Amino acid sequence: RQGEGYSRTVNFTSRNIVDTTAPYELVSKMRASFWVIGPLLAREGQARVSLPGGCAIGTRPVDLFIEALAALGANIEIDGGYIEATAPKGGLIGARYTFPKVSVGATHVLMMAATLARGTTVIGNAAREPEVQDLAKCLNAMGAKITGAGTATITIEGVDQLSGARHRVLPDRIETGTYAMAVAMTGGDVVLEGTDASLLDTALEAIRRSGAEVTSTESGLRVVRNGGGIKPVDVVTDPFPGFPTDLQAQFMGLMTKSSGISHITETIFENRFMHVQELARLGAKISLSGQTAKIEGVERLRGAPVMATDLRASVSLVIAGLAAEGETMVSRVYHLDRGFERLEEKLTRCGAIVERVSD
């Protein structure tokens, strides 16, 4: 739920799986679509899934997914741009697997696959994001036996089958952080309803250090910045509970109008600074040195035509455009729609002047 009138309930029925192929046309549009390989393989014993697409923010191979599923006994081949996976006779087998580096997506996939594996699976160096904990909560409601989600070690005792369940998805912490940064950028007083501040403590602390007031309310989160300027803040992206890489571009947009020099270091993806050149078109002063961006705050930004390069970069341009003088036109907004439902409608309700010209 994201404010009055935004409640969503979706009913899924999967009694019969008619096809174990996830085609390129679908998977290429959103990287997370690749994750169906886990439950398909566990339930049907086979899966043919296109190699993923999504945002071009750096090399994001699926080797961790493949190695994790192989640890459960899966046979995996790559053919014509597809991953073809088959389970051994009798199904996947529980195992111990430690990720060489933290991966949110691979942790999700291994958890889902292991729920129907024979025996016990122990995942080491698991991702600790709230979304991992939420998936475990949902799977447990369906009959899975998962413990340790939210820690670096997750244990899954395989079960024969899962049943239906009712689950309330946790609030989108990246959407929450994005709107909080938009308020900090423009000034004002906004209550973000239906969210939970505990999901993004590190990001909210950075927003506070920038000069905004952030407090929890009964209905969500209140963000206020009236009168005071934006202070420069240095951040380094890191896996949860660190500063989220998915809020890096938005925070850079905020820092473009700070009263000094700030630094943002990106440690997760090697090519996630493509928004720098587009922010520069609005008058931002940003220089890059390796994986660190130096932002010299400017007094004013000026509207200009800019182009979205990926999901989070696109919304950073919207944040900067909200505080820029004149009109900012953001193209390729299909990136936005993958992560921010009815963005222009929600911003308009807060007093912004935003119009969708076309998709």
Side-chain angles (χ1 to χ4, degrees):
R1 179 176 178 274
Q2 298 165 337
E4 211 55 45
Y6 290 104
S7 181
R8 289 285 185 273
T9 300
V10 181
N11 296 309
F12 298 96
T13 301
S14 58
R15 293 186 182 89
N16 301 307
I17 303 297
V18 298
D19 195 346
T20 57
T21 295
Y24 171 79
E25 305 84 69
L26 296 178
V27 181
S28 62
K29 294 179 180 179
M30 183 175 289
R31 182 177 176 79
S33 300
F34 181 77
W35 298 2
V36 298
I37 192 171
L40 279 177
L41 181 61
R43 176 171 165 172
E44 300 298 314
Q46 62 182 6
R48 183 173 182 267
V49 182
S50 171
L51 288 167
C55 297
I57 56 176
T59 303
R60 296 189 290 171
V62 294
D63 56 328
L64 295 180
F65 295 76
I66 293 173
E67 291 169 8
L69 292 174
L72 300 184
N75 178 61
I76 298 178
E77 297 180 358
I78 301 177
D79 181 36
Y82 280 77
I83 300 289
E84 298 185 355
T86 55
K89 188 175 181 179
L92 297 174
I93 305 168
R96 286 181 171 270
Y97 180 78
T98 298
F99 285 107
K101 63 180 181 179
V102 176
S103 170
V104 175
T107 298
H108 274 80
V109 167
L110 184 54
M111 281 175 59
M112 290 187 286
T115 57
L116 297 181
R118 288 179 287 132
T120 300
T121 298
V122 179
I123 306 174
N125 199 27
R128 296 182 288 164
E129 271 70 6
E131 292 77 18
V132 172
Q133 300 175 54
D134 199 48
L135 172 61
K137 181 179 178 182
C138 178
L139 290 172
N140 283 339
M142 299 170 71
K145 296 180 179 180
I146 302 173
T147 58
T151 73
T153 303
I154 300 175
T155 302
I156 305 106
E157 295 181 34
V159 297
D160 292 333
Q161 64 181 13
L162 299 176
S163 62
R166 187 176 183 89
H167 178 71
R168 188 180 188 88
V169 178
L170 86 173
D172 188 330
R173 62 194 171 96
I174 303 305
E175 187 177 33
T176 297
T178 297
Y179 287 119
M181 290 175 190
V183 177
M185 181 63 152
T186 58
D189 187 343
V190 175
V191 174
L192 305 174
E193 295 185 339
T195 191
D196 184 351
S198 67
L199 298 175
L200 64 166
D201 285 337
T202 305
L204 293 182
E205 181 55 32
I207 295 173
R208 290 188 183 98
R209 285 189 284 139
S210 76
E213 297 178 25
V214 183
T215 55
S216 294
T217 70
E218 290 185 1
S219 62
L221 188 68
R222 181 182 179 188
V223 185
V224 182
R225 187 183 72 79
N226 286 326
I230 300 171
K231 301 175 184 177
V233 180
D234 294 346
V235 298
V236 178
T237 64
D238 226 358
F240 188 86
F243 190 94
T245 179
D246 282 341
L247 284 173
Q248 177 258 108
Q250 298 92 307
F251 197 72
M252 185 180 293
L254 174 61
M255 288 295 99
T256 60
K257 287 199 67 179
S258 74
S259 58
I261 296 176
S262 57
H263 299 85
I264 297 177
T265 301
E266 173 61 56
T267 69
I268 309 299
F269 297 115
E270 73 276 11
N271 193 31
R272 204 163 200 177
F273 283 144
M274 291 188 292
H275 45 282
V276 168
Q277 294 305 317
E278 297 305 303
L279 287 171
R281 291 177 55 80
L282 300 175
K285 293 184 178 180
I286 307 170
S287 57
L288 297 177
S289 177
Q291 291 301 99
T292 297
K294 175 183 176 183
I295 306 103
E296 298 181 51
V298 297
E299 185 176 342
R300 60 182 60 182
L301 299 172
R302 297 186 184 277
V306 291
M307 180 178 67
T309 55
D310 63 71
L311 171 55
R312 309 307 176 185
S314 58
V315 81
S316 75
L317 300 176
V318 173
I319 289 175
L322 289 172
E325 298 177 0
E327 181 180 275
T328 297
M329 178 77 73
V330 182
S331 61
R332 296 174 67 180
V333 294
Y334 58 84
H335 284 298
L336 272 173
D337 294 333
R338 290 192 288 113
F340 299 95
E341 184 183 26
R342 297 198 300 272
L343 175 73
E344 65 275 21
E345 181 181 331
K346 295 174 184 178
L347 290 176
T348 298
R349 292 181 67 192
C350 296
I353 302 175
V354 184
E355 178 186 1
R356 180 181 292 253
V357 178
S358 67
D359 293 330

